[in-house]
Every structure is written in C-alpha cells, then in structure tokens.
Amino acid sequence: MRLKLVRDDTTIDFFKRARLWLGISLVMMAVAFVSFAIQGLNYGIDFQGGTSIRTQSEVPVDVAAYRDALAPLELGDLSIAEVFDPTFAENEHVAMVRIQAQEGDERIASETIEQIQTALRTVDPGMEFPSISSVGPKVSGELINTAILAVALAVGAILAYIWLRFEWQFAVGAVLALLHDVLLTIGIFSELQIKFDLAIIAALLTIVGYSINDTVIVFDRVRENLRKYKKKDLKEVLNLSINETLSRTLMTSGTTLLALVALFVLGGDVIRGFVFAMIWGVIIGTYSSIFVASALLLVLGVKRDWSKKDPAAGTRYGHLDT
C-alpha cells in the first residue's frame, strides 16, 4: 500500500487568494527589511573578530562544563565546539573555544588568556592548549563581503540557468522567489537576534539550492503542461501543475523537516543556529515555490503562439531538455 499525502485528483485553486499571499509576503519582507535596518544582525565571532583557543585533553569534552567554568569571566559571545578527526588517538579529545573581540581589540590580553586557561583547567587539570589564534576586525569585514558575494553569485548563476532552461519570465519569477526566501531568513535572524555566523551563510546557500530545486520541479511541469494544454488559460495550467507536483513537494519537505527537527532537538548548541535556519528555509522555500514563484509567473505571463503546432510552443529552450 503506497502512502499518499495528496490525492491524484486534487484540484486546489492556489490563485484564488493570490493577492493575499503576495501581500503577506510583501509585509513579511518589509518587516524583515525594517528589522535589519534598525537593529541589524547579531554577528557571531566569525564576523566580529575574536580569539580561538584549541584545547586538548584526555578527558572527554563536556561543552556545558566548559561554559560553566568560563561563565564567571564574562567574556561575552562564546562558542565551544568539539573537534572530531579520525587521526586522533582514543584518549585525545580536542575542542575549539572561540571568544569575541573584547572592546574592539584584535587580540585578547595575555592576562585574560591565562584566566581562561586556568578556568578550563578546573575541568581537567591536565588540559593543554596547542594553539591560540586571533581574527581581527579587518579579516571579519572581508568575511562579510565574501559571504555577500557568495550568495549574490549563487543567485546570479541560478538566474542564468533558469533563463536558459526555460524563458526569462520563469527566471525572473524563480529569482524573486529566492530573494524572498533569503530576505525572510535574514529577517528572522535580525528580529530574534540569533547569532549570525559563517554556518548561517552555509545554511542560506543550502536554502537557495533547496528552494530552486522545488521551484524548478513545478516550472518543469508547467512547461510540459503548456505544451500539452495549448488552449488552457495560463492560470489553469499553473494550478494544474502545482496540484500535480504537490504530493512530491510535501513529501520532500516533510521528510527533510523530520530530520532537521531531530537535529534541532538533539544536535546541541553548536549546530542549532544552522539547523534553525534550515528549518525556516525549508518552510519558506516550500511556501514560495507554491505561492510566490507561480504567482509572479502569472503576473509576468508566458508568451505563447497559439497558431503554431510546434510541440515546443510555450518555451524558447525546450530543445535543451535531456
């Protein structure tokens, strides 16, 4: 017996309240933009600068115990992560302690480092500190610029790909939906003031890939149906296409969310920000694939010549299919 989340004969009218969905998206984007403009992002150590201290111990790493030991020092933003490597010996336990720059200084004072080492040795008196390195504000600024460039290049490459595979209306609709997803993800991090670091940039790029995959599945079915139903109104073709791919969309999103929720609950503090971004991104990406991208395509329209009997009618680049 095959599990079906959506019946084969489903005929939901996704455009009955298209203006409402687009209005909700515009309001959420405006809130995200205002939040970012007023309070900005709560940048982590990667973007603020700070010091990384590598610890090595024969005692298994206990992140909570490390945090409790360092809490009295009031060091501000603190990140502790266990380092795993198959080359480590069985009794070799390594962690990376990252501390934000103190009052704009590039390096933490030597006295402060000594206090940190003393505090951590209360957890394990035999703890060693193989390396200590600092990231200054200049390097952090370069990381921000590189992160922005990475997201921009990813979106630009997707725009070119969709334009070649379909038509420019599909490309514009898909990219605007992607920008919608990215802006809302950044907005919720700004609104909730969750730490924003390089892991979140990785999550943003993953969200872009996930969202465009969903959108391309829908658009591919739209193109097929444009060829198949040449006399149907574009709105009807879009509705039909979304309904036909709805089961696949919900199944993919649902199974992905199951894994992400498990990671969010059981994965610990180290990856919680990344996983939260992914959960939000999957939800928003699914929403935008169904309601935003298709609604934008309906607004932009797709040029079709009804007089032609060419099976590729409805797409300029149908011959590129494999």
Side-chain angles (χ1 to χ4, degrees), residues 7-15 217-218 221-222 224-226 228-230 232-247 294:
R7 293 175 54 180
D8 293 334
D9 58 349
T10 301
T11 56
I12 301 172
D13 185 358
F14 291 98
F15 298 97
I217 294 294
V218 175
R221 185 59 61 89
V222 170
E224 290 177 8
N225 286 333
L226 283 171
K228 187 176 180 181
Y229 304 104
K230 295 183 180 181
K232 276 193 175 184
D233 184 70
L234 178 58
K235 179 180 176 181
E236 294 181 61
V237 173
L238 288 171
N239 253 328
L240 175 64
S241 303
I242 297 172
N243 277 292
E244 288 178 346
T245 57
L246 188 59
S247 179
S294 298

Side-chain angles (χ1 to χ4, degrees), residues 57-280:
S57 173
E58 294 185 358
V59 177
V61 174
D62 185 340
V63 174
Y66 283 25
R67 285 189 179 278
D68 291 341
L70 295 173
L73 299 180
E74 298 181 351
L75 297 170
D77 186 16
L78 191 67
S79 172
I80 303 172
E82 185 172 2
V83 179
F84 297 95
D85 194 309
T87 63
F88 288 165
E90 187 176 347
N91 63 342
E92 187 178 0
H93 303 282
V94 177
M96 188 66 72
V97 180
R98 309 176 75 183
I99 304 153
Q100 72 176 32
Q102 305 295 300
E103 297 181 358
D105 294 333
E106 182 170 337
R107 294 179 178 273
I108 293 180
S110 57
E111 295 83 2
T112 305
I113 291 177
E114 290 177 4
Q115 292 176 356
I116 292 170
Q117 293 174 337
T118 301
L120 290 174
R121 284 196 173 109
T122 61
V123 179
D124 174 22
M127 184 178 293
E128 297 178 358
F129 304 92
S131 66
I132 300 174
S133 59
S134 297
V135 177
K138 182 178 179 180
V139 175
S140 299
E142 291 174 355
L143 285 175
I144 294 175
N145 294 333
T146 303
I148 294 172
L149 180 61
V151 175
L153 288 176
V155 173
I158 288 169
L159 173 64
Y161 166 74
I162 301 295
W163 198 321
L164 288 173
R165 183 171 174 83
F166 300 98
E167 289 193 5
W168 71 266
Q169 294 96 330
F170 290 89
V172 172
V175 169
L176 288 177
L178 283 183
L179 294 176
H180 163 274
D181 299 345
V182 171
L183 180 57
L184 290 188
T185 302
I186 293 175
I188 197 168
F189 271 79
S190 172
E191 188 68 31
L192 301 180
Q193 287 295 288
I194 302 171
K195 294 295 178 191
F196 193 90
D197 52 24
L198 284 178
I200 308 306
I201 297 298
L204 282 176
L205 292 174
T206 307
I207 290 167
V208 166
Y210 182 92
S211 180
I212 198 61
N213 179 65
D214 255 2
T215 303
V216 165
I217 294 294
V218 175
F219 280 1
D220 205 45
R221 185 59 61 89
V222 170
R223 184 174 59 179
E224 290 177 8
N225 286 333
L226 283 171
R227 300 172 184 171
K228 187 176 180 181
Y229 304 104
K230 295 183 180 181
K231 294 186 178 180
K232 276 193 175 184
D233 184 70
L234 178 58
K235 179 180 176 181
E236 294 181 61
V237 173
L238 288 171
N239 253 328
L240 175 64
S241 303
I242 297 172
N243 277 292
E244 288 178 346
T245 57
L246 188 59
S247 179
R248 179 262 173 206
T249 299
L250 295 180
M251 183 68 76
T252 304
S253 300
T255 51
T256 304
L257 284 173
L258 285 176
L260 289 173
V261 170
L263 283 173
F264 185 80
V265 174
L266 304 174
D269 292 337
V270 176
I271 63 170
R272 190 154 289 156
F274 172 84
V275 176
F276 175 80
M278 286 299 301
I279 291 174
W280 175 258

